[in-house]
Amino acid sequence: MRVALFLTCVNDALYPDTGRAVVTLLERLGVDVDFPTGQTCCGQPQYNTGYRRETEPLVHRMAKVFAGYDYVVTPSGSCAAMVRDNYPRIGAKARAEGRGTALGKAADALVPRVVELTEFLVDVLEVTDVGAYFPHTVTYHPSCHGLRMLGLGDRPVRLLRAVRGLTLIELPGAEECCGFGGTFSVKNPAVSTAMGTDKVRNAASTGAEVLCGADNSCLMHLGGLLHRQDQPLRPLHIAEILAATEQDATATEPTETVIPA
Amino acid sequence: MTTSRDRVLAKVRAALADVPPGAPDADPPVTRAYRTAHTEATGPALLALLAENLADYRAMVHRTTEDQLPSLLAEILRTHGSRTLAVPTDLPSKWLAAAHEVTRLPDSPTVTADQLNGVDSTLTGCALAIAETGTIVLDAGPAQGRRLLTLVPDHHICVIRADQVVASLPQALPRLDPTRPQTWISGPSATSDIELERVEGVHGPRCLEVVVVSG
Amino acid sequence: MSRTFLGMPPFPEAAAVSTQNAQLRANLTHATHTIRDKRARAVTELDDWAQLRQAGQEIKDHTLRHLDHYLLQAEKAVTAAGGTVHWAADAAEANRIVADLVRATGESEVVKVKSMATQEIGLNEALAAEGITAYETDLAELIVQLGDDLPSHILVPAIHRNRSEIRDIFRDAMGRWGRPAPDGLTDSPAELAEAARLHLREKFLRAKVAVSGANFIVAETGTLVVLESEGNGRMCLTLPETLISVVGIEKLVPSWRDLEVFLQLLPRSSTAERMNPYTTLWTGTTAGDGPSNFHLVLLDNGRTDTLADEVGRQALRCIRCSACLNVCPVYERAGGHAYGSPYPGPIGAILTPQLRGLQSEVDASLPYASSLCGACYEVCPVAIDIPEVLVQLRERVADQAPGHRLERAAMKSAGWLLDHPAAYSAALRTASRARGLLPRRLPLPGPAKAWSDSRDLPTLPEHPFRDWWNSRPNGEDGPKHDDGKTGKDSAAR
C-alpha cells in the first residue's frame, strides 16, 4: 500500500507538529508514508473566493504529485472536501467551457484516493484504538466540511474515546460552524468573530484542557481568539493526540512536549 | 406589439438553451420512492391516530357512535354556551335532533360575514380527514357550506365519519377534486410569530372541536 | 410604510453593527434555536424524508426545465376556471397591474396575506403612492408594518422583536391604523395575538379587495395553494370580492399529485409542524363561495435571469420554508436586515443577487456572507446546494467587479508561488526566519488587520514541516521527493 501524506499548505507552514504527528502515528501503525514535496496547496482559498480559473493549475499539480499512490491522506477535512466535492466541478466546468477533458481526467484520477486522516484510520486501517495515551480532558469540535461534506460522523470521537487517559467532554453546539470559513474570516470579520467567540465560550464551558479539532484552519481561528482572551484552553489537532504515547508522557514534561503552547 | 407575456416566455426559452428540446413527458419520471403512508394502521387504530394528532394540535376531540351523535352535539353546544349556530343547509337533520335551545342560522348566499361574526358556533361535516397529520379537509361539499361558514365564527364543530378517514396525504389527494375550493384544517388557528411561542387562536376559529363518528 | 431596503450598506458593514446589538442577538438566538430544534424533531418523524426531498428536487427541476410549457398550461387552466392571468416582466409592471386592478374596483384599501413576492416588488409602497392603503394581516407582518420596520425573516418577519418590543409597537401604533390596542395590554403572546385579532377583524369584514401570493400553482389544474397558520390568509382569500395573487413564475408544480410531496416537505421544514393549521386551495372562482373576481399576476422580475445560470437556477427550487435561515450561524448573528432584501439568510444570499444582479455593493457582498459551513444545504427540503451557488456567484463577482482587481492579482501571484514548489519552499523558510519580527496583532489595514482586530495571529514555527521531512534519514535524496525538481515543469496542461 503506497500512502502519501497531503499535509496542506496551512499545516506545512504553520503547524509542522501536526505533520510530524501524522507521520509518527501512521508509521507506528505500520504504514510507510511518503511526503511528496512537490505538494503545495489544493486551491481551496482561491476556489471558495471565486477564483476558479486560478485553481486549475493546482488541480493539475495535485493530481500529478499524488499520482501512483493508493491513498492520499490528509489531516484536514476541508481540504479533503475541496478535492472530493470541487475538483470534479472544476473539471466539468472546464469541459463545458470548451477547454478539453484533461482537467476533468486529472480530477477523476485523484478524487477517489483522497481520504481524511480519521477516515483512513477507521475505514482503511480499520483501527479505532491507535495505542495513544493522553492524560487530559478534551472537547472535540467537528469542523463543518468534515462533518457535513465528508460525513465523518463519529469517527474522530471513536478514535478519541479509545485513547488511554483521555477524558472526552461533549462540546455544546458542536455541529455549529466556528466562523473561520477561509476568506470569510477576513471579509466578514465581525460575524466570524461573533461565531468564534460563541464557539470558544462553549468550549471553555466544558472545563476541558484541550480543544481538539481535525482542521487546523479552524483551530487557528479559535486559537487566535483564545490567545487574545488569555483563555487557558489549548487548541490541538487530533493527530497530535493520537500520536501521543505513554513514552512521550514520561519522557519530560508531558504538556510541554505533547502540546504546543 | 410584444407583450410582457411574449417577453417572459422568450426569456424563459432563452434561459433554457442548455435543455435539449422535447416534451416534458420525455423526461425521466420523478423518483417517487417515498412512502404512500407512514402508518399501517386501519380501522379503529387509524381513528385513534387521527384523534391523537388532532389533539396534539389542540383540537378538542370527541369519539362517538352514529346513535349518540345528536346528544353529544347538544352537549358540546351546551358546554360551550352556544345560543346561535351557523349550519350548512344540507346538514343531516338528525345531527341537531337533541339541540333544542340553539337558534340556527342556515347558510345561504345572502348570509354575510358580519352576520356570521355574531354567531357563537358553526357545525359542519367534512370531505375527508388525514390521520397522520391530524388534518380535516373541507371542500364546500355535502354538509359543509361555503368557506366563510367555518371561518368567521369563533367555534367550529366538525363531524368526521370513520369512512372519511385516510392515513396520509398521498392517499388523500386522489380523493379530492381540484376544482372545488378547499380548506385544510389542522388544529385551531395559531401563531408562533411572537418569540416562536405558539398561541392558539388568532383569526380563524380559536376553538376547534372534532367529533369522530364510528359504528 | 416609508422604509425600504434601498440603499442598504454592504453586508459586512451592516453586520458589523448588528452583531453588536445584544438585544437583537438574544432575540435571534432564542428564536432560531427554538425552531431549528423543532424542525429536526418534525423531520425525524418521517423515515422517508430523504426520498421526499429527492422527489421535491426532481419535481422542481423538471418544472424549471419546461417552465414555458407549464406556464402556458397554468394560464390556460386558471383562465378556464374563471380567473384572469396577467404577466409582469418586472416589479414596476407588477405594481402597475395590481394598482390598476384595485382602482378598477373603486376601492382605496386592500387586505394582504403575507407574501414574499409582493415584498420583493415593494407593492405596499407602490400602492401607497397611488393612494391605496395595504393592510398587512399576518401577525408578524402587522408588527413590522405598525413598527415602520423591515422584515428580517421569511417565515417570521418580526423575529428580531421580542414580546415587550411588540407590546410597545401595538400600544403606540395600532390607533393610527385602526382599532387601538386594548388598555392595559401586557406583553403576553396570547394578549398580543388577541389585540391583533380585534384590530384586524374589522378590516377583514369590510375588505372588498385582497392581495396574496401563493406557495404553489398546480399547472394542470390551475389551482393556487396558500399555507398559513393564523386564519388571516383564509379571511383574505375568502371574504373579499376581488382577489389578486402575485406569484413568481417558479412557483409552479406540474400536477395535483405533486402536492403530496410539497405539502409534506413545507410545513415540517417551515413551522416544524406535521401540517400547518390552514391550507387554502382554490381554482379560479366558485359561484357563491369566495371572491367572484380572481386575478393571477405571474411575476418574472429576475427569475428568468436566474434560470439562465445553470448552477444558480437551483435557487428557483426554493419553497420559502426558511429552514436555512434558522440553522445559519451567520444569519443568527447578523440578523435579517443586514442582507438588504426581503430574502435574508443563505437563500437570500443566493437569490437576491441573482434576481437583482450583482451591480450594487450590497448585492455583490451577499455571496460572501457565508462561511460555507453547509448547514443550509443539509436542511433544505429541495436540496439546494447553497454553498455551491455561493461560490458560483463569487466567481461572477470576482469576474466583474473592479474592486476585486487587487484580490485577483494577489490570487494570481499566490497561484504562481503554489505552482512552483521550489519558490514555495523558499517562501516558507523566509517566513519562518522572519517570525521574530511578526507581531501577533497587525495594525495595518487589509485582511491581516481584519483578522487581528479580534484574533491573534498564530506564531510561525521555527521550520516548516518540509524542512523536518527533508532532514529525516533518507530525506533529501531518494525517489520520494521532487521538491523543486519535477515541480518546475509542473503538471501537464
Side-chain angles (χ1 to χ4, degrees):
Chain A
M1 183 164 71
R2 292 196 69 210
V3 176
L5 169 61
F6 161 40
L7 184 59
T8 81
C9 55
V10 165
N11 288 323
D12 192 359
L14 299 173
Y15 299 98
D17 289 348
T18 298
R20 287 202 286 272
V22 176
V23 172
T24 305
L25 171 65
L26 292 182
E27 288 181 347
R28 194 172 77 218
L29 295 170
V31 177
D32 183 18
V33 61
D34 194 8
F35 177 81
T37 50
Q39 65 179 283
T40 57
C41 169
C42 65
Q44 181 172 204
Q46 296 83 343
Y47 181 78
N48 279 352
T49 314
Y51 298 91
R52 172 171 56 88
R53 293 290 290 270
E54 284 76 356
T55 313
E56 292 181 356
L58 300 174
V59 175
H60 279 300
R61 162 160 296 283
M62 287 282 289
K64 177 166 183 267
V65 165
F66 293 111
Y69 292 97
D70 300 310
Y71 292 101
V72 179
V73 181
T74 180
S76 163
S78 88
C79 298
M82 168 66 190
V83 174
R84 295 224 296 243
D85 280 12
N86 292 328
Y87 276 25
R89 283 179 183 147
I90 294 167
K93 283 190 176 174
R95 193 163 50 237
E97 289 163 6
R99 290 183 291 113
T101 56
L103 200 61
K105 283 180 180 156
D108 291 347
L110 176 64
V111 165
R113 295 179 290 122
V114 171
V115 288
E116 187 272 343
L117 174 65
T118 67
E119 284 181 314
F120 183 69
L121 296 173
V122 175
D123 298 353
V124 181
L125 301 184
E126 297 183 346
V127 291
T128 45
D129 184 350
V130 296
Y133 173 73
F134 191 76
H136 301 282
T137 49
V138 173
T139 191
Y140 176 73
H141 166 59
S143 291
C144 301
H145 292 176
L147 182 74
R148 279 181 276 267
M149 288 187 182
L150 297 181
L152 293 183
D154 65 351
R155 289 177 186 83
V157 167
R158 280 160 63 199
L159 289 160
L160 289 172
R161 286 215 181 95
V163 173
R164 271 166 296 121
L166 187 150
T167 308
L168 188 64
I169 308 174
E170 198 180 329
L171 174 65
E175 74 294 344
E176 286 178 44
C177 179
C178 70
F180 172 64
T183 47
F184 173 76
S185 61
V186 289
K187 282 184 182 284
N188 278 287
V191 183
S192 172
T193 299
M195 288 162 69
T197 302
D198 289 347
K199 179 64 73 181
V200 161
R201 187 187 308 114
N202 281 336
S205 78
T206 64
E209 298 163 78
V210 170
L211 171 58
C212 173
D215 251 303
N216 271 332
S217 312
C218 304
L219 293 179
M220 175 173 72
H221 162 69
L222 295 173
L225 286 164
L226 287 166
H227 193 267
R228 178 67 56 87
Q229 297 171 11
D230 278 330
Q231 294 262 15
L233 190 63
R234 290 159 299 172
L236 192 62
H237 194 281
I238 189 169
E240 295 175 58
I241 292 177
L242 298 179
T245 60
E246 213 138 0
Q247 287 88 327
D248 297 330
T250 51
T252 52
E253 290 276 302
T255 53
E256 290 297 314
T257 53
V258 177
I259 307 172
Chain B
M1 194 186 100
T2 316
T3 62
S4 292
R5 179 179 186 273
D6 299 336
R7 282 215 306 280
V8 172
L9 285 169
K11 282 191 78 180
V12 168
R13 287 170 187 141
L16 294 169
D18 62 301
V19 176
D25 295 349
D27 274 11
V30 168
T31 314
R32 296 185 191 263
Y34 52 86
R35 294 180 182 282
T36 51
H38 298 89
T39 174
E40 289 172 11
T42 55
L46 193 64
L47 297 188
L49 180 66
L50 172 68
E52 184 189 325
N53 284 330
L54 279 164
D56 195 34
Y57 284 145
R58 320 283 170 85
M60 288 175 65
V61 183
H62 308 266
R63 304 285 299 273
T64 191
T65 61
E66 202 74 53
D67 292 344
Q68 297 298 312
L69 178 63
S71 57
L72 175 63
L73 290 173
E75 177 61 27
I76 289 171
L77 290 164
R78 197 160 38 244
T79 307
H80 194 80
S82 304
R83 286 179 301 176
T84 48
L85 178 70
V87 291
T89 46
D90 56 352
L91 195 82
S93 54
K94 67 173 229 183
W95 286 11
L96 287 173
H100 306 294
E101 303 103 74
V102 178
T103 308
R104 297 175 209 178
L105 175 64
D107 186 26
S108 85
T110 58
V111 171
T112 64
D114 268 323
Q115 281 174 280
L116 290 168
N117 197 34
V119 164
D120 295 323
S121 303
T122 186
L123 169 64
T124 69
C126 67
L128 58 79
I130 305 167
E132 60 177 52
T133 57
T135 302
I136 303 160
V137 179
L138 303 183
D139 70 353
Q144 295 163 59
R146 297 178 300 159
R147 282 178 285 173
L148 77 176
L149 201 68
T150 57
L151 173 62
V152 181
D154 205 17
H155 178 217
H156 177 200
I157 309 163
C158 184
V159 176
I160 304 171
R161 293 193 323 268
D163 64 0
Q164 293 179 309
V165 180
V166 298
S168 65
L169 267 115
Q171 292 179 15
L173 283 158
R175 292 176 57 157
L176 292 166
D177 178 355
T179 64
R180 304 189 72 88
Q182 290 172 28
T183 306
W184 297 30
I185 300 170
S186 308
S189 159
T191 184
S192 299
D193 279 348
I194 301 166
E195 297 183 20
L196 273 301
E197 189 172 298
R198 189 178 165 100
V199 176
E200 267 83 29
V202 194
H203 305 296
R206 286 180 289 189
C207 181
L208 173 66
E209 294 200 57
V210 179
V211 181
V212 182
V213 185
S214 49
Chain C
M1 279 216 308
S2 55
R3 291 196 64 190
T4 70
F5 283 106
L6 292 176
M8 293 283 284
F11 183 85
E13 286 175 29
V17 176
S18 54
T19 48
Q20 299 305 314
N21 184 337
Q23 181 68 66
L24 174 71
R25 293 276 301 275
N27 294 354
L28 279 172
T29 299
H30 168 75
T32 55
H33 283 255
T34 301
I35 191 148
R36 86 169 65 154
D37 294 345
K38 277 178 67 183
R39 186 213 75 97
R41 287 196 294 275
V43 165
T44 311
E45 271 189 9
L46 300 188
D47 60 2
D48 61 341
W49 186 257
Q51 289 75 26
L52 285 164
R53 186 175 187 244
Q54 184 190 2
Q57 170 182 356
E58 288 184 18
I59 293 166
K60 280 287 185 178
D61 280 349
H62 169 83
T63 314
L64 293 171
R65 283 166 58 87
H66 303 281
L67 192 57
D68 51 339
H69 169 88
Y70 289 118
L71 282 167
L72 291 172
Q73 192 183 16
E75 179 190 46
K76 195 173 164 190
V78 169
T79 308
T84 306
V85 177
H86 310 258
W87 298 68
D90 55 24
E93 190 176 8
N95 289 331
R96 178 80 264 146
I97 291 168
V98 177
D100 287 347
L101 288 170
V102 176
R103 279 166 169 252
T105 66
E107 295 294 316
S108 61
E109 54 182 47
V110 301
V111 286
K112 278 190 71 200
V113 192
K114 187 173 114 52
S115 139
M116 296 309 300
T118 59
Q119 276 181 19
E120 174 193 321
I121 61 175
L123 177 66
N124 291 6
E125 294 72 23
L127 291 179
E130 305 257 348
I132 299 163
T133 307
Y135 296 110
E136 294 290 351
T137 66
D138 168 76
L139 177 52
E141 291 284 10
L142 176 70
I143 295 164
V144 168
Q145 187 172 49
L146 294 177
D148 192 21
D149 200 350
L150 288 167
S152 70
H153 190 278
I154 288 173
L155 173 72
V156 197
I159 197 167
H160 55 290
R161 297 290 195 185
N162 66 21
R163 60 185 69 191
S164 64
E165 293 171 302
I166 295 167
R167 190 253 335 261
D168 294 346
I169 289 168
F170 279 11
R171 278 205 308 222
D172 293 347
M174 265 186 175
R176 288 202 298 276
W177 286 81
R179 181 173 172 152
D183 288 338
L185 181 67
T186 75
D187 66 0
S188 97
E191 272 193 45
L192 295 169
E194 169 73 9
R197 176 187 175 91
L198 295 169
H199 178 77
L200 287 173
R201 178 133 309 210
E202 62 179 22
K203 299 198 193 311
F204 289 134
L205 293 177
R206 71 164 188 254
K208 296 281 185 286
V209 184
V211 175
S212 85
N215 296 95
F216 306 102
I217 303 177
V218 180
E220 69 172 353
T221 61
T223 307
L224 274 78
V225 186
V226 166
L227 284 72
E228 51 129 359
S229 298
E230 296 169 7
N232 65 304
R234 291 179 68 189
M235 293 279 179
C236 294
L237 300 169
T238 311
L239 300 184
E241 293 163 7
T242 298
L243 171 62
I244 306 163
S245 299
V246 182
V247 187
I249 54 174
E250 84 286 16
K251 290 298 180 95
L252 290 168
V253 297
S255 72
W256 178 249
R257 182 190 179 183
D258 293 328
L259 294 176
E260 74 189 18
V261 175
F262 295 104
L263 293 182
Q264 294 192 74
L265 288 173
L266 181 50
R268 287 179 199 258
S269 299
S270 178
T271 53
E273 292 165 306
R274 289 184 199 101
M275 199 71 192
N276 50 293
Y278 297 135
T279 302
T280 297
L281 302 91
W282 76 99
T283 305
T285 56
T286 304
D289 189 347
S292 47
N293 302 302
F294 170 56
H295 297 273
L296 170 61
V297 182
L298 291 170
L299 177 71
D300 179 350
N301 201 36
R303 284 159 179 75
T304 48
D305 298 326
T306 310
L307 191 66
D309 185 318
E310 287 176 44
V311 173
R313 73 168 56 136
Q314 60 184 304
L316 297 177
R317 282 187 216 139
C318 176
I319 54 175
R320 312 282 189 263
C321 72
S322 72
C324 62
L325 278 61
N326 301 327
V327 297
C328 179
V330 176
Y331 173 86
E332 178 187 339
R333 287 160 184 89
H337 294 157
Y339 292 81
S341 102
Y343 302 109
I347 187 64
I350 61 168
L351 199 54
T352 305
Q354 295 199 88
L355 294 177
R356 298 200 298 212
L358 292 156
Q359 290 74 31
S360 77
E361 263 196 295
V362 60
D363 291 336
S365 74
L366 287 174
Y368 300 92
S370 165
S371 64
L372 305 179
C373 84
C376 48
Y377 177 31
E378 190 175 53
V379 297
C380 178
V382 287
I384 301 170
D385 190 339
I386 293 175
E388 184 192 13
V389 181
L390 285 166
V391 171
Q392 167 89 352
L393 294 174
R394 290 175 187 188
E395 196 179 323
R396 278 169 52 185
V397 174
D399 280 349
Q400 66 157 45
H404 286 253
R405 247 182 244 134
L406 268 178
E407 188 175 86
R408 181 175 290 282
M411 289 290 174
K412 271 202 184 342
S413 51
W416 181 87
L417 196 64
L418 293 169
D419 204 18
H420 292 77
Y424 173 72
S425 299
L428 290 187
R429 282 175 202 123
T430 306
S432 285
R433 273 186 221 116
R435 70 201 180 102
L437 307 172
L438 192 67
R440 299 193 73 174
R441 301 182 191 201
L442 289 175
L444 301 168
K449 182 176 189 302
W451 177 277
S452 67
D453 271 347
S454 61
R455 294 155 288 208
D456 285 339
L457 291 160
T459 48
L460 279 168
E462 211 167 330
H463 301 287
F465 172 83
R466 57 186 58 227
D467 283 7
W468 173 80
W469 177 263
N470 286 331
S471 69
R472 289 190 5 141
N474 190 11
E476 204 56 277
D477 43 8
K480 287 176 174 179
H481 313 301
D482 63 349
D483 186 359
K485 294 169 189 127
T486 60
K488 271 176 188 154
D489 55 18
S490 184
R493 300 286 145 81

